[in-house]
Amino acid sequence: MVSMCKLSSKTTSPLQGSPELTPCKTQSTRSMSSSSASLPTVEATASPTVAVAPSIPVAPSTPALSYYRRELPTDLVSFTSAAGRKLFKESLNEGYAEGYFNLAGNFTVQSEPAYCGPSSLAMVLNALEVDPGRTWKGVWRWYSDELLESCRTESDLKANGITFDQFLCLASSHAQVVAKRGAQASREEFLRDIMYVTQRDDVFMVLSFSRPVLGQTGDGHFSPIGAYHPESRMALVLDSARYKYPSWFGDVDTLYDSLQPVDSETGLPRGYFLISRLDSRLDLNLLESSLLASNSSRSEGTAENLAERPSGAYPIKISCGKGSSSCCSAK
């Protein structure tokens, strides 16, 4: 039997002017045979059964040579480990992690394997709430490592990163900077500077160090200091290559040793930087370093004379390789 329904024009539904469906009437197959007799007969055939194999997830292809992080040397303490958390809590309670939250809130993983310098600088500038004066994306002004360029071409920067001098040149374009290279600062001065910056949130330290001295793979690297633990004499390094190593606590004496190896590209040791806003003044004691003394007599480097200098004279300018600090800027 085939079921058929039609609209009735005689009856209306409760909705005014709406036709109502009449009850379905049926026609037998016999009464329809005359109209369908001329149609060709299609013989029904059974559809073949197709076996569908269950889907098997395919693992993503992995390059022949690739790494997922490196194991941290045993004499370094992972920040996220139980021991690392204990060190951090005690550092915070002692007042030696004042700038940590500014840095952590603006932590930047370097976007290229050799971008540790620009990444560390972008992190610090954002932590200091420096306005870059240009847009990052959309309508927003913000620092990111790809917007900071040095004298190197983009391809050279991606392959080799930046040197100590180029970092200083680039940082001085956006902030007030004091640079101390290798043995030009004593161990005691290095420790004093770490203790100073970790008790404040308006000045930060970025290390330029040699990874092998710390038992790590690679060569030169830049990263900021986030905290200091007085009892163990360990400092927290917020490693910008988070894909390689976590943030870690390291012995201050070993960190100092890691500043001494000579960079094969420049023939000079590495060192560290103290960075603050251009419109603020660093503690004048921070400028009492042998680096200043090497450029002038000790009498010219006294706090009394330094206090009379304009704030713009404080950054220690070093050429980025093309004879002018103007070659380092934001894109």
Side-chain angles (χ1 to χ4, degrees), residues 186-225:
S186 65
R187 289 182 187 273
E188 293 74 19
E189 185 176 0
F190 177 56
L191 176 58
R192 185 178 72 243
D193 287 347
I194 287 180
M195 295 177 69
Y196 177 82
V197 299
T198 54
Q199 293 181 86
R200 302 175 67 105
D201 61 3
D202 59 351
V203 56
F204 295 96
M205 178 186 288
V206 173
L207 299 182
S208 171
F209 62 97
S210 174
R211 282 197 185 276
V213 174
L214 297 157
Q216 300 175 339
T217 63
D219 194 5
H221 190 58
F222 291 87
S223 281
I225 292 291

Side-chain angles (χ1 to χ4, degrees), residues 10 31 54 79 94 98 119 189 192 195 204 253 282:
K10 296 180 182 179
S31 64
F79 176 50
E94 293 289 330
E98 292 303 307
S119 175
E189 185 176 0
R192 185 178 72 243
M195 295 177 69
F204 295 96
D253 286 326
L282 295 174

Side-chain angles (χ1 to χ4, degrees), residues 72-143:
L72 198 65
T74 55
D75 55 344
L76 303 178
V77 181
S78 172
F79 176 50
T80 56
S81 68
R85 296 184 186 193
K86 182 176 183 294
L87 288 172
F88 177 73
K89 289 177 182 177
E90 293 174 355
S91 299
L92 189 61
N93 290 337
E94 293 289 330
Y96 288 100
E98 292 303 307
Y100 166 80
F101 295 100
N102 300 58
L103 288 171
N106 295 282
F107 185 86
T108 303
V109 177
Q110 58 197 70
S111 61
E112 294 285 343
Y115 273 23
C116 53
S119 175
S120 296
L121 180 57
M123 196 187 320
V124 167
L125 292 174
N126 287 327
L128 289 169
E129 298 184 351
V130 176
D131 185 342
R134 59 146 300 164
T135 55
W136 162 62
K137 292 182 181 179
V139 299
W140 302 107
R141 299 194 298 271
W142 195 249
Y143 282 103

Side-chain angles (χ1 to χ4, degrees), residues 2 4 20 74 79 123 129 163 177 191 200 279 297 303 305:
V2 180
M4 301 181 67
E20 190 176 68
T74 55
F79 176 50
M123 196 187 320
E129 298 184 351
T163 65
V177 187
L191 176 58
R200 302 175 67 105
D279 57 5
S297 67
N305 289 330

Side-chain angles (χ1 to χ4, degrees), residues 3 12 16 27 51 82 109 125 143 151 155 164 166 186 209 222 229-230 294 303 311 317:
S3 190
T12 59
Q16 193 175 28
Q27 284 184 322
V109 177
L125 292 174
Y143 282 103
C151 312
S155 59
F164 182 96
Q166 289 165 350
S186 65
F209 62 97
F222 291 87
H229 188 261
S294 66
S311 59
K317 299 289 187 180

